[in-house]
């Protein structure tokens, strides 16, 4: 019986050298994984920062382009205005000789909620009736649109003034 046992190898497990080699392999693999994860995280941060810079640059370029376009449009409008004013100036003397009608509508530039709480708003607007004195020019007719019915005394006053026209 003893001779049979001597032929069967006794399994003792890995040797100390093999265990050290496995431990070294695991430590090296863990270190490489840690290092690669750190590099990957750093690359992600750099890519995110690059995208932010790129999008900020694109937005800046768009703003600059829009500013130039607005300045170009503004310059075109200024040139048109200058040309029209020149043409009006050339025709103004002739236009003043013609009969014309002026329509005056009381201003509604104040917002309605504010108008409702303003004291004497209607009276302030009606005071623009003094524009009727433009009728002194015989070539001019005036239409005045009042915000409310004017008092008869005011209408009589202006009617008497207009008799001298």
């Amino acid at each position: 019986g003893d001779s049979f046992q001597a032929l069967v190898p006794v399994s003792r497990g890995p040797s100390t050298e093999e265990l050290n080699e496995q431990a070294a392999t695991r430590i090296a693999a863990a270190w490489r994984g840690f290092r690669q994860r750190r590099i990957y995280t750093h690359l992600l941060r750099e890519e995110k920062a690059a995208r932010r810079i790129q999008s900020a640059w694109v937005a800046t370029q768009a703003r600059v382009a829009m500013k130039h376009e607005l300045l170009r449009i503004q310059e075109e409008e200024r040139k048109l205005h200058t040309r029209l004013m020149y043409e009006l100036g050339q025709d103004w003397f002739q236009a003043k000789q013609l009969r014309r009608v002026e329509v005056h509508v009381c201003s509604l530039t104040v917002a309605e909620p504010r108008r409702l709480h303003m004291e004497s708003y209607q009276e302030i607007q009606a005071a623009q009736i003094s524009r009727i004195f433009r009728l002194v020019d015989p070539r001019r007719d005036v239409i005045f649109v009042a915000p409310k019915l004017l008092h008869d005394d005011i209408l009589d006053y202006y009617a008497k003034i207009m008799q001298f026209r």
Side-chain angles (χ1 to χ4, degrees), residues 25-93:
T25 302
R26 285 186 181 178
I27 290 170
W31 172 250
R32 283 192 307 272
F34 169 76
R35 194 176 68 200
Q36 288 301 319
R37 283 189 297 278
R38 193 166 55 178
I39 290 170
Y40 178 72
T41 302
H42 181 70
L43 287 174
L44 285 179
R45 273 193 219 125
E46 284 182 344
E47 183 179 341
K48 187 176 180 181
R51 287 179 196 255
R52 282 184 183 161
I53 291 169
Q54 290 168 352
S55 69
W57 177 252
V58 168
T60 299
Q61 293 294 18
R63 278 192 303 276
V64 167
M66 181 57 68
K67 181 179 179 179
H68 286 301
E69 179 64 13
L70 290 174
L71 288 173
R72 185 190 64 75
I73 291 169
Q74 186 179 30
E75 181 62 19
E76 283 180 14
E77 289 176 352
R78 187 194 63 75
K79 286 178 182 177
L80 175 64
H81 180 262
T82 301
R83 183 178 57 82
L84 292 174
M85 291 302 292
Y86 177 77
E87 291 173 7
L88 177 64
Q90 296 299 310
D91 299 335
W92 186 246
F93 181 75

Side-chain angles (χ1 to χ4, degrees), residues 71-131:
L71 288 173
R72 185 190 64 75
I73 291 169
Q74 186 179 30
E75 181 62 19
E76 283 180 14
E77 289 176 352
R78 187 194 63 75
K79 286 178 182 177
L80 175 64
H81 180 262
T82 301
R83 183 178 57 82
L84 292 174
M85 291 302 292
Y86 177 77
E87 291 173 7
L88 177 64
Q90 296 299 310
D91 299 335
W92 186 246
F93 181 75
Q94 183 182 0
K96 283 185 76 168
Q97 305 308 314
L98 301 174
R99 184 166 191 82
R100 62 189 184 277
V101 175
E102 291 182 10
V103 178
H104 294 280
V105 179
C106 291
S107 174
L108 295 178
T109 56
V110 179
E112 186 175 1
R114 189 168 169 215
R115 282 193 313 256
L116 295 175
H117 300 292
M118 284 179 71
E119 285 187 39
S120 307
Y121 176 76
Q122 298 296 334
E123 290 77 11
I124 292 169
Q125 293 297 304
Q128 295 182 31
I129 196 168
S130 63
R131 293 180 179 186

Side-chain angles (χ1 to χ4, degrees), residues 11-26:
S11 85
R12 292 191 245 150
S15 68
T16 306
E17 186 178 308
E18 291 172 337
L19 287 174
N20 286 343
E21 192 175 309
Q22 287 176 358
T25 302
R26 285 186 181 178

Side-chain angles (χ1 to χ4, degrees), residues 131-164:
R131 293 180 179 186
I132 207 158
F133 287 118
R134 294 178 184 229
L135 286 172
V136 171
D137 181 351
R139 292 176 303 257
R140 191 181 301 187
D141 292 320
V142 175
I143 298 173
F144 179 77
V145 181
K148 68 173 194 166
L149 185 61
L150 297 175
H151 193 273
D152 287 338
D153 291 342
I154 294 173
L155 294 175
D156 288 340
Y157 171 75
Y158 283 102
K160 287 177 186 176
I161 291 174
M162 292 303 113
Q163 290 174 356
F164 296 111

